Amino acid sequence: MKLTKFVDKLPIISTLEPTKKSNHLTYYEVVMKESWHKLHRDLPPTRLWGYNGQFPGPTIDVSEGELTHVKWLNELPPKLILPLDTSIHHLDQMPQTRTVTHVHGSVTKPDSDGYPEAWFTRGFQETGPDFSREVYEYPNNQRAATLWYHDHAMGITRLNVYAGLVGMYIIRGEEEKALQLPSGEYEIPLVICDRTLNPDGSLYYPSGPDEPIPGAPTPSIVPAYLGEAILVNGKAWPYIDVEPRKYRFRLLNASNTRTYRLSVNEDVPLYQIGSDGGLLRKSIPTRQIVMEPAERIDIVIDFSEFEGKSMIINNDLGVDADPEDQTNNIMQFKVTKPLKKKDTSRIPKHLTHIPSLKQNSIKTIRNLKLVGSEDAFGRPLLLLNNQLWHDPITEKPQLGDTEIWSLINVTNFTHPIHLHLVQFQVLDRQPFDLEKYNEDGSIIYTDAPISPAENEKSWKDTLAAPSAQVTRVIAKFEPFTGDYVWHCHILEHEDYDMMRPFTIVEKEDPETS
């Protein structure tokens, strides 16, 4: 349905207050529960699931090295509010309302990572095979960065996230503070996602493909879904009143499937200062930024020359020619507030030093294909290296080893690939002849390797692996051993079945191996 844009004020997400805090430990309790929120002026309230009943959930704001414990509590009703396909992952034998929270980008032990089968139900009455603790531990011994938290339960992540289980997690550091970036009320997280809303305000999510597949179950999982309304911080196409000065915006693409290409009208430059793993080496002035699902982009916009004007963050990816498609806009800025005081914030040219992993000794190079196939019903089934989730683990990096992973995408579209635990660096991408591959399985390169974009020359945990290209990343697998996962962050792909476990194992003793 068509909604009027820029009539609702942008909500500013609240920061979570600790339940307890000492010199050694910060402790939070976060309750997942059902609530109702008005997502647009002209719609009735929408039934949602949220952390502490909020959508998005409250921002968890911590410092580098601050030991943090979070007890994630499930107080959700017994049934999902969206169509559930029980034909995958034996979901017909499991409770519907299962959750497990993953802090995306966090360097933490496996038992606190949000492993998909470490799920639990209301009151921990039922738990998954990998469940081992009620209180998760986050050491935060990593660079200051914009992370986020979201549900990661096996086979239903797409539904739990679409229902509202997302929130920001920010780690702060002294190095960043010294740069005099915009801060306080001039630093604003923006959680961007798409949803389709029915006239009664309820969430719409498809119960199957537009053209039903004979013999397939009902409901039936779909391989992708693009919502019709763009929400920012839980409002459809909001506006914000700003002062004529510099603002810092921490952007998160929390959509299930949709990729955005963002720009601002009035020819306003965006200065990107950070990505998934924190600050870039230097600030990058740009006119547009692409954001895959799960990527974070940290930008500064200077409104000082635009007093009295309005401007819009636009999106020109995935926009239909249909006049009903309103996804060409994200939100509106109105430079209407008087300047409170002189703006002393800066956009430094040089931000931080990032050592290259290319100097490390490379222990293993893995060639990993992103492939398309079909299931028994003829539905699309996207896989990593042609393996299902439950197949034996094949990726077993040794603790402290540096490896290169070559992601060979032989499907027809881009996949945003996420590795848990590690931040990696992008080496390059090299195009190959996909038609030739489909003929005889050979990889024939059609051009030289392409260096990563300037804003990818930093630490990343999620990146675009385009069709008909080999995307190479380098990562050091530390500091913990145990089971983690890597997957496509199109949530419909992740749920079925484009996710694989990997295990970090203890270093072999060369004398005994």
Side-chain angles (χ1 to χ4, degrees):
M1 62 175 297
K2 202 150 186 178
L3 295 168
T4 307
K5 295 177 178 178
F6 318 131
V7 293
D8 286 295
K9 199 165 191 170
L10 175 80
I12 302 300
I13 303 167
S14 63
T15 300
L16 188 64
E17 292 296 324
T19 309
K20 288 186 287 196
K21 191 175 172 74
S22 70
N23 291 336
H24 310 293
L25 178 69
T26 306
Y27 174 76
Y28 297 94
E29 288 188 356
V30 181
V31 181
M32 292 168 262
K33 58 186 179 181
E34 188 168 285
S35 54
W36 295 75
H37 294 276
K38 228 173 140 51
L39 304 183
H40 188 273
R41 179 196 68 183
D42 299 332
L43 287 177
T46 301
R47 182 188 183 194
L48 295 166
W49 289 1
Y51 291 101
N52 280 1
Q54 295 175 223
F55 173 61
T59 299
I60 297 176
D61 201 312
V62 299
S63 299
E64 280 183 22
E66 178 183 351
L67 180 61
T68 301
H69 284 185
V70 182
K71 187 171 190 178
W72 304 99
L73 295 154
N74 181 340
E75 292 187 6
L76 293 164
K79 291 200 169 175
L80 289 164
I81 58 176
L82 298 168
L84 173 65
D85 179 350
T86 59
S87 71
I88 63 173
H89 295 296
H90 308 293
L91 297 189
D92 55 333
Q93 299 162 33
M94 296 186 202
Q96 279 201 19
T97 310
R98 295 169 291 112
T99 59
V100 59
T101 301
H102 168 56
V103 175
H104 181 123
S106 176
V107 178
T108 193
K109 289 180 181 175
D111 59 6
S112 295
D113 184 58
Y115 198 75
E117 297 198 275
W119 53 263
F120 56 94
T121 62
R122 190 180 182 109
F124 302 102
Q125 289 172 358
E126 294 181 77
T127 57
D130 287 280
F131 177 86
S132 63
R133 60 187 298 164
E134 294 184 3
V135 179
Y136 274 22
E137 179 173 294
Y138 304 102
N140 300 311
N141 287 324
Q142 59 189 106
R143 301 176 83 231
T146 305
L147 311 183
W148 65 300
Y149 61 95
H150 61 83
D151 182 72
H152 214 287
M154 193 73 212
I156 54 171
T157 296
R158 71 195 184 286
L159 305 177
N160 285 347
V161 167
Y162 195 88
L165 292 175
V166 299
M168 282 271 202
Y169 188 109
I170 295 172
I171 302 176
R172 300 188 181 275
E174 292 303 315
E175 182 188 31
E176 204 173 278
K177 221 179 274 183
L179 292 171
Q180 290 178 262
L181 296 163
S183 60
E185 64 182 299
Y186 305 111
E187 179 200 303
I188 301 173
L190 300 176
V191 177
I192 303 169
C193 60
D194 58 342
R195 300 288 185 269
T196 298
L197 303 169
N198 293 315
D200 65 356
S202 62
L203 284 178
Y204 170 81
Y205 186 86
S207 58
D210 291 340
E211 293 183 21
I213 298 169
T218 305
S220 184
I221 191 168
V222 294
Y225 184 63
L226 301 177
E228 295 173 5
I230 307 296
L231 276 57
V232 186
N233 293 0
K235 288 286 184 187
W237 297 291
Y239 71 89
I240 181 173
D241 295 310
V242 296
E243 298 175 27
R245 52 155 295 144
K246 293 183 284 296
Y247 280 75
R248 178 182 185 177
F249 298 100
R250 295 177 183 259
L251 278 63
L252 158 66
N253 180 356
S255 302
N256 280 29
T257 294
R258 186 181 290 276
T259 298
Y260 301 91
R261 185 161 55 212
L262 307 176
S263 60
V264 179
N265 66 353
E266 295 285 344
D267 220 21
V268 180
L270 310 170
Y271 293 89
Q272 185 175 345
I273 58 168
S275 64
D276 303 339
L279 291 174
L280 303 176
R281 288 185 173 88
K282 57 184 182 180
S283 53
I284 301 168
T286 183
R287 297 292 176 185
Q288 61 179 29
I289 292 173
V290 176
M291 285 189 79
E292 298 286 336
E295 282 191 307
R296 283 87 66 211
I297 300 287
D298 204 338
I299 61 172
V300 175
I301 302 178
D302 188 350
F303 297 106
S304 57
E305 301 297 316
F306 301 96
E307 194 168 356
K309 292 190 175 180
S310 294
M311 52 196 69
I312 294 165
I313 298 187
N314 297 303
N315 165 51
D316 67 356
L317 264 190
V319 181
D320 206 306
D322 183 342
E324 290 294 308
D325 187 344
Q326 296 184 278
T327 59
N328 60 321
N329 303 134
I330 306 291
M331 63 175 288
Q332 182 186 48
F333 300 112
K334 297 180 181 177
V335 193
T336 52
K337 288 173 92 170
L339 190 64
K340 272 190 194 171
K341 56 185 179 185
K342 187 181 175 187
D343 179 11
T344 57
S345 66
R346 299 170 58 235
I347 308 174
K349 186 176 177 185
H350 296 284
L351 297 166
T352 191
H353 171 67
I354 296 171
S356 171
L357 292 179
K358 285 192 276 190
Q359 319 309 321
N360 293 9
S361 168
I362 310 302
K363 296 297 183 184
T364 306
I365 296 175
R366 300 183 191 273
N367 294 315
L368 303 159
K369 284 182 182 162
L370 318 181
V371 303
S373 62
E374 287 187 350
D375 68 6
F377 302 109
R379 298 180 297 184
L381 177 62
L382 286 306
L383 300 173
L384 300 171
N385 234 21
N386 223 20
Q387 293 171 310
L388 301 168
W389 164 256
H390 289 293
D391 287 337
I393 297 174
T394 47
E395 283 66 58
K396 298 179 181 179
Q398 291 188 31
L399 181 65
D401 276 5
T402 300
E403 297 193 353
I404 290 174
W405 288 25
S406 296
L407 307 170
I408 306 162
N409 186 351
V410 300
T411 73
N412 291 320
F413 38 83
T414 298
H415 296 275
I417 299 296
H418 171 47
L419 274 65
H420 284 220
L421 181 70
V422 297
Q423 293 283 335
F424 52 75
Q425 291 173 0
V426 186
L427 293 174
D428 53 41
R429 295 181 177 89
Q430 189 165 11
F432 63 88
D433 187 335
L434 185 55
E435 203 173 302
K436 176 82 172 141
Y437 173 83
N438 288 330
E439 280 173 16
D440 60 17
S442 61
I443 300 287
I444 307 297
Y445 292 112
T446 56
D447 209 340
I450 303 158
S451 293
E454 281 300 314
N455 66 348
E456 290 184 318
K457 294 178 180 176
S458 181
W459 295 107
K460 296 280 292 165
D461 58 44
T462 308
L463 90 160
S467 170
Q469 293 188 28
V470 176
T471 301
R472 296 194 314 142
V473 302
I474 184 170
K476 188 174 183 182
F477 289 84
E478 59 178 6
F480 305 116
T481 58
D483 292 345
Y484 294 92
V485 298
W486 67 289
H487 58 87
C488 176
H489 222 288
I490 293 174
L491 299 184
E492 286 75 11
H493 296 180
E494 172 185 336
D495 276 347
Y496 186 57
D497 209 298
M498 208 172 188
M499 177 166 63
R500 288 282 294 152
F502 71 89
T503 300
I504 301 177
V505 298
E506 290 288 356
K507 199 90 167 161
E508 286 180 7
D509 185 338
E511 291 183 11
T512 59
S513 61

